[in-house]
Amino acid sequence: MARATPDAIDAPFEKPEESLRSCQHEGCTEAGLYRAPRSRDRLNEYYWFCLEHVRLYNLAWNYFVGMDEDQIESQRREDTVWQRPSWPFGSQAHRLEAEAREQLERDFGIGSDGSGKANGAPKPRDEDERALAMLNLSRPVTFPEIKTRYKQLAKQLHPDANGGDAEAEERLKLVNQAYATLKQSFVQ
């Protein structure tokens, strides 16, 4: 196999000879060494100018001339993704996760509170777990921790501290019942 000569390898990358082109600006006799696109629709066709005239042409060049605001914005958005279709990152994974969650709720009732909405926490199984949930505690827990939490909630929900708020009073009753239940379970 014959080896390519250095001249043959470099040929596609050589500049055109200066004598072949002259500046296309009217009345200029300089060599046209610098190219400038003819229009937005013909970006691969060029005018050839000298340095002075290509600078003038570039100052006057406006790619978006003749386009309204919507067309300009559309062009800018297409250019940010190189004119290829795109979609938000993670959209597919988010959809698959939601479908899997719905399937678990339908088949096993996991993460469901009966209304069909996921609540993230499992349902309490027995009376002690319901009482711990009322105090915002979970196992493993000691009785001194339960007592401390009960005192905090009793102070926070007491009618004197809430100006007689009926909702806080009802919540305090539930907290008192939960504490009584846990007290019986732990003291025995």
Side-chain angles (χ1 to χ4, degrees):
M1 181 162 118
R3 248 184 158 171
T5 63
D7 293 336
I9 294 172
D10 294 337
F13 303 104
E14 289 179 356
K15 286 186 175 180
E17 290 185 28
E18 294 179 15
S19 63
L20 294 179
R21 290 196 181 96
S22 61
C23 179
Q24 290 181 319
H25 190 267
E26 191 174 320
C28 184
T29 59
E30 296 286 321
L33 299 176
Y34 304 98
R35 64 185 188 179
R38 290 189 177 265
S39 72
R40 176 179 62 235
D41 300 328
R42 300 182 308 173
L43 293 175
N44 291 328
E45 296 177 19
Y46 306 104
Y47 293 117
W48 290 91
F49 295 116
C50 63
L51 182 60
E52 178 185 344
H53 291 122
V54 81
R55 286 179 177 162
L56 290 174
Y57 183 86
N58 286 341
L59 286 174
W61 171 259
N62 182 358
Y63 180 87
F64 298 110
V65 70
M67 297 175 89
D68 63 16
E69 290 295 321
D70 292 335
Q71 291 171 326
I72 292 171
E73 184 62 26
S74 174
Q75 182 70 41
R76 289 178 64 211
R77 288 185 183 274
E78 286 178 16
D79 287 346
T80 58
V81 293
W82 303 280
Q83 289 83 29
R84 289 181 170 81
S86 67
W87 43 89
F89 287 118
S91 62
Q92 183 73 7
H94 178 69
R95 185 180 59 79
L96 293 174
E97 181 182 339
E99 287 175 4
R101 187 178 300 117
E102 289 172 8
Q103 184 71 31
L104 284 172
E105 285 181 16
R106 274 195 309 273
D107 293 348
F108 304 106
I110 294 175
S112 176
D113 60 359
S115 65
K117 296 179 183 174
N119 61 8
K123 287 184 179 180
R125 296 183 187 160
D126 62 1
E127 196 173 338
D128 287 346
E129 285 188 23
R130 282 191 293 275
L132 285 170
M134 179 57 64
L135 298 175
N136 294 327
L137 295 171
S138 59
R139 294 189 192 268
V141 66
T142 63
F143 188 71
E145 292 172 336
I146 293 170
K147 191 172 186 177
T148 302
R149 182 65 179 151
Y150 167 72
K151 286 181 180 181
Q152 289 173 345
L153 289 173
K155 211 178 210 186
Q156 182 182 2
L157 298 171
H158 195 276
D160 291 342
N162 291 301
D165 183 22
E167 189 176 318
E169 190 174 341
E170 287 302 314
R171 175 99 196 276
L172 179 60
K173 289 178 185 177
L174 294 173
V175 167
N176 285 336
Q177 289 175 348
Y179 179 69
T181 300
L182 292 170
K183 190 175 179 181
Q184 287 177 357
S185 297
F186 278 87
V187 173
Q188 292 176 354

